[in-house]
Amino acid sequence: MIKIDPTSYTPFYEQVKTEIRKLVMTGSLRAGEALPSIRELAAGLVLNPNTVARAYRELERESLIVTQKGKGSFVADGTAPVVRKAKEAHLHRVLDRAIREARELDLDPEEILAAFKRRLERSGDEGKKGDRHD
Amino acid sequence: MIKIDPTSYTPFYEQVKTEIRKLVMTGSLRAGEALPSIRELAAGLVLNPNTVARAYRELERESLIVTQKGKGSFVADGTAPVVRKAKEAHLHRVLDRAIREARELDLDPEEILAAFKRRLERSGDEGKKGDRHD
Amino acid sequence: MIKIDPTSYTPFYEQVKTEIRKLVMTGSLRAGEALPSIRELAAGLVLNPNTVARAYRELERESLIVTQKGKGSFVADGTAPVVRKAKEAHLHRVLDRAIREARELDLDPEEILAAFKRRLERSGDEGKKGDRHD
Amino acid sequence: MIKIDPTSYTPFYEQVKTEIRKLVMTGSLRAGEALPSIRELAAGLVLNPNTVARAYRELERESLIVTQKGKGSFVADGTAPVVRKAKEAHLHRVLDRAIREARELDLDPEEILAAFKRRLERSGDEGKKGDRHD
DNA sequence: GTGGTCTAGACCACA
DNA sequence: GTGGTCTAGACCACA
């Protein structure tokens, strides 16, 4: 469910945080639901447990998850209402960045929009694929 | 002309590379034109000359610029024809990343497109502004 | 295993690159094998870690080695088949340079060949020794 | 008559020195003969006069040339007898370096000699050509 | 412990 | 003044 890009400059622990936030935002992980254990996830992602632990620790600090000693980590309650807003904010952040970068190329809004439509359709055909490289 | 974001995970030397690539792609820097000297740019960006030197060195390795001992760095000849393609490729990369990230939120293409249009118009009103934070 | 000549005009990082390429070409370092860590090699050669790091970084860019965060650097896979060709190319480069320089002295090919034979035998007697000073 | 390689790590002034030494060793420049003026040579090589001046100064310090104020630079007298020995020494240096580098590849002397013969013949066919890159 | 980035500052070749 | 190399040393991510 989660993928880490080793070529990205974004630290592994940040990538793990982002991926888990997405799972919550899409409803793949619901309030109260258990996250994979640190060791489990670390093994799956071929990361050191320390790295995953750091991601969980920071997600806990922002109250997205809670950890119960001896039991594991769970999506925090009260998350549900926040999700909708977070999702919208995330979408805007993502789109605004693309728009800003496109405009920095000195392109007209019409051109940008046309290109966006084409790429969006294209992405529908191919399913979700793509190489990130922040 | 160039701005660096100290809060970004992207290394300074990569940010400098990206910014200079943009200047070439937008035609702000044309083939044969001189780049600011390493020391000059470093001073302007409050970076260490070593950091800017690394950016220039790598841009030279990708043949975007050429350096003449004792004289300075210049946009490479033969850049002009390459620019158009690079620009398009960059635009696609930027848009595709946004599309991929939006789709990972389980949003419909229509929703995504509608949001994109709104944000694009909004960006036109405000002029080019925005808080980056890659 | 590696030696650096501080009197050479060739930068230290280039000398390190050349020496490591040789180790791979002679089979002293095989695909997958670990290279000494940057700090280790730097200490051994009495060089600054930055200098060795630059050598490794550039060897990585030419796909001769791969680096894993926190683990170290390793000879790239797929190196084996490339080695034979690289070895031959390197030999030709070395011999051609000597031939060109000898010819620039206006010597006959026979003279050059005779001298080469004598020096080659002589080198066999003495074992591998020699004062470089590029 | 002289060529400078801007991609070489050998400083320009050293390349100039070496090239002039070769001209003397091959008899292209004889004792008492005038060298091109500093400005002339600098213009021909597209170098700054300072750079050529440094080469001349150092060649003068090693007594290969003499400079007469207002007249120019000349190959020193007493050079003739030295030339023969210098030529041989230079040849040996050049060949020994090639031999050392070939042996560092773990090649047999027979292999090396065979390759040398082939490359020597090849060089005869093509005339003097070649890209150096020390 | 292993790499990666960055600053501060020195020294050199070249224009 | 313009680049290029190098050292010393700090700080961070990752194992």
Side-chain angles (χ1 to χ4, degrees):
Chain A
M1 306 212 290
I2 289 185
K3 266 187 193 141
I4 258 56
D5 176 7
T7 72
S8 166
Y9 290 116
T10 305
F12 291 170
Y13 71 88
E14 282 292 355
Q15 294 189 44
V16 172
K17 285 165 64 181
T18 301
E19 292 297 305
I20 290 180
R21 276 199 214 98
K22 275 185 208 159
L23 292 177
V24 175
M25 286 192 286
T26 58
S28 303
L29 278 176
R30 290 210 165 70
E33 216 170 323
L35 280 80
S37 80
I38 288 178
R39 301 193 161 277
E40 207 178 329
L41 186 54
L45 300 177
V46 197
L47 291 179
N48 190 292
N50 288 329
T51 304
V52 177
R54 176 166 180 182
Y56 277 30
R57 196 188 324 135
E58 299 194 0
L59 286 171
E60 186 163 13
R61 223 177 38 198
E62 59 185 63
S63 304
L64 192 79
I65 70 176
V66 292
T67 296
Q68 295 180 19
K69 284 188 186 162
K71 283 194 165 173
S73 301
F74 305 83
V75 177
D77 287 337
T79 299
V82 190
V83 163
R84 188 155 196 85
K85 289 190 115 172
K87 205 166 163 176
E88 196 181 339
H90 184 68
L91 177 64
H92 287 175
R93 212 178 309 124
V94 157
L95 297 181
D96 287 352
R97 180 169 61 173
I99 289 166
R100 175 174 45 73
E101 296 197 346
R103 302 212 115 185
E104 281 172 351
L105 292 180
D106 261 351
L107 297 171
D108 291 330
E110 296 79 36
E111 268 185 279
I112 296 174
L113 183 59
F116 188 82
K117 276 184 187 163
R118 281 198 303 274
R119 307 304 287 182
L120 184 61
E121 284 166 22
R122 191 169 165 286
S123 82
D125 301 342
E126 306 186 3
K128 288 176 213 165
K129 139 190 161 176
D131 51 326
R132 80 184 66 170
H133 190 94
D134 341 356
Chain B
M1 305 214 292
I2 289 186
K3 270 192 192 133
I4 258 53
D5 174 10
T7 72
S8 166
Y9 289 117
T10 305
F12 292 165
Y13 72 87
E14 282 293 352
Q15 294 189 44
V16 171
K17 285 166 66 179
T18 301
E19 292 297 305
I20 289 180
R21 278 199 212 96
K22 274 184 210 161
L23 290 176
V24 175
M25 286 192 288
T26 58
S28 304
L29 278 177
R30 289 208 165 72
E33 214 170 326
L35 280 83
S37 82
I38 290 178
R39 287 165 166 77
E40 204 179 328
L41 186 54
L45 300 176
V46 197
L47 291 179
N48 190 284
N50 280 330
T51 303
V52 177
R54 178 165 178 185
Y56 277 28
R57 190 197 315 144
E58 299 193 0
L59 287 172
E60 179 158 27
R61 194 151 347 181
E62 54 185 69
S63 302
L64 192 78
I65 72 177
V66 293
T67 293
Q68 288 178 24
K69 280 187 192 166
K71 286 195 169 166
S73 301
F74 306 82
V75 177
D77 287 340
T79 298
V82 188
V83 163
R84 188 154 196 87
K85 288 188 119 175
K87 207 167 162 176
E88 196 182 338
H90 184 68
L91 177 64
H92 287 175
R93 211 177 312 123
V94 159
L95 297 181
D96 288 352
R97 181 169 61 172
I99 289 167
R100 175 173 45 71
E101 296 198 348
R103 302 213 116 183
E104 280 171 354
L105 292 179
D106 260 352
L107 297 170
D108 290 329
E110 296 77 35
E111 267 184 282
I112 296 174
L113 184 58
F116 189 82
K117 275 184 189 163
R118 281 197 304 274
R119 306 305 287 183
L120 185 59
E121 283 165 23
R122 191 170 164 285
S123 81
D125 301 341
E126 305 187 4
K128 288 177 213 160
K129 141 192 159 175
D131 53 325
R132 73 185 69 170
H133 190 95
D134 338 357
Chain C
M1 307 214 288
I2 288 185
K3 268 188 192 137
I4 257 56
D5 175 10
T7 73
S8 166
Y9 289 117
T10 305
F12 291 165
Y13 72 87
E14 281 293 351
Q15 293 189 45
V16 171
K17 285 166 66 180
T18 302
E19 292 298 306
I20 289 180
R21 278 198 212 98
K22 275 185 207 158
L23 290 176
V24 175
M25 286 192 287
T26 58
S28 302
L29 279 177
R30 290 209 166 71
E33 215 170 323
L35 280 85
S37 82
I38 289 179
R39 287 166 165 75
E40 203 180 328
L41 186 54
L45 300 176
V46 197
L47 290 179
N48 189 285
N50 279 330
T51 303
V52 176
R54 176 165 180 186
Y56 277 28
R57 189 195 317 145
E58 298 193 0
L59 287 172
E60 180 157 25
R61 193 152 344 181
E62 55 185 69
S63 303
L64 193 77
I65 71 177
V66 292
T67 292
Q68 288 178 24
K69 279 188 193 165
K71 286 194 169 167
S73 301
F74 306 84
V75 177
D77 286 339
T79 298
V82 187
V83 164
R84 189 156 195 85
K85 289 190 120 175
K87 205 167 163 175
E88 196 182 337
H90 184 67
L91 178 64
H92 287 174
R93 213 176 311 125
V94 159
L95 297 181
D96 288 352
R97 180 168 63 172
I99 288 166
R100 176 173 43 72
E101 296 199 346
R103 301 212 116 184
E104 281 172 353
L105 293 179
D106 259 352
L107 297 171
D108 291 329
E110 296 79 32
E111 266 184 282
I112 297 174
L113 183 57
F116 188 82
K117 276 184 187 161
R118 281 197 305 275
R119 307 303 288 183
L120 184 60
E121 283 167 22
R122 191 169 164 286
S123 83
D125 301 344
E126 305 186 3
K128 288 178 215 162
K129 144 192 156 173
D131 52 325
R132 74 184 69 169
H133 190 94
D134 338 356
Chain D
M1 305 211 294
I2 289 186
K3 266 188 193 139
I4 258 53
D5 176 7
T7 72
S8 166
Y9 290 115
T10 305
F12 291 170
Y13 71 88
E14 282 292 355
Q15 293 190 45
V16 172
K17 285 165 65 180
T18 302
E19 292 298 306
I20 291 181
R21 277 198 213 98
K22 274 186 206 157
L23 291 177
V24 175
M25 285 192 287
T26 58
S28 302
L29 278 177
R30 291 209 163 72
E33 216 169 323
L35 280 81
S37 79
I38 288 178
R39 300 191 162 276
E40 206 178 330
L41 186 54
L45 300 177
V46 197
L47 291 179
N48 190 292
N50 288 331
T51 304
V52 177
R54 176 166 180 182
Y56 277 30
R57 196 189 323 135
E58 299 194 2
L59 287 172
E60 185 163 15
R61 222 175 41 196
E62 60 184 62
S63 304
L64 191 79
I65 71 176
V66 292
T67 296
Q68 294 179 17
K69 283 188 186 164
K71 283 194 166 175
S73 301
F74 305 84
V75 178
D77 289 337
T79 300
V82 191
V83 163
R84 188 155 196 84
K85 290 190 115 171
K87 204 166 163 176
E88 196 182 338
H90 184 68
L91 177 64
H92 287 175
R93 214 177 309 125
V94 158
L95 297 181
D96 288 353
R97 180 168 63 172
I99 289 166
R100 175 174 45 73
E101 296 197 347
R103 303 213 113 183
E104 281 173 352
L105 292 179
D106 262 352
L107 296 171
D108 290 329
E110 295 80 36
E111 268 184 279
I112 297 173
L113 184 58
F116 189 82
K117 277 183 187 162
R118 281 197 304 273
R119 307 303 288 182
L120 185 60
E121 284 167 21
R122 192 169 165 287
S123 81
D125 300 343
E126 304 186 7
K128 287 176 212 164
K129 135 189 163 175
D131 52 325
R132 78 184 63 168
H133 190 95
D134 340 353

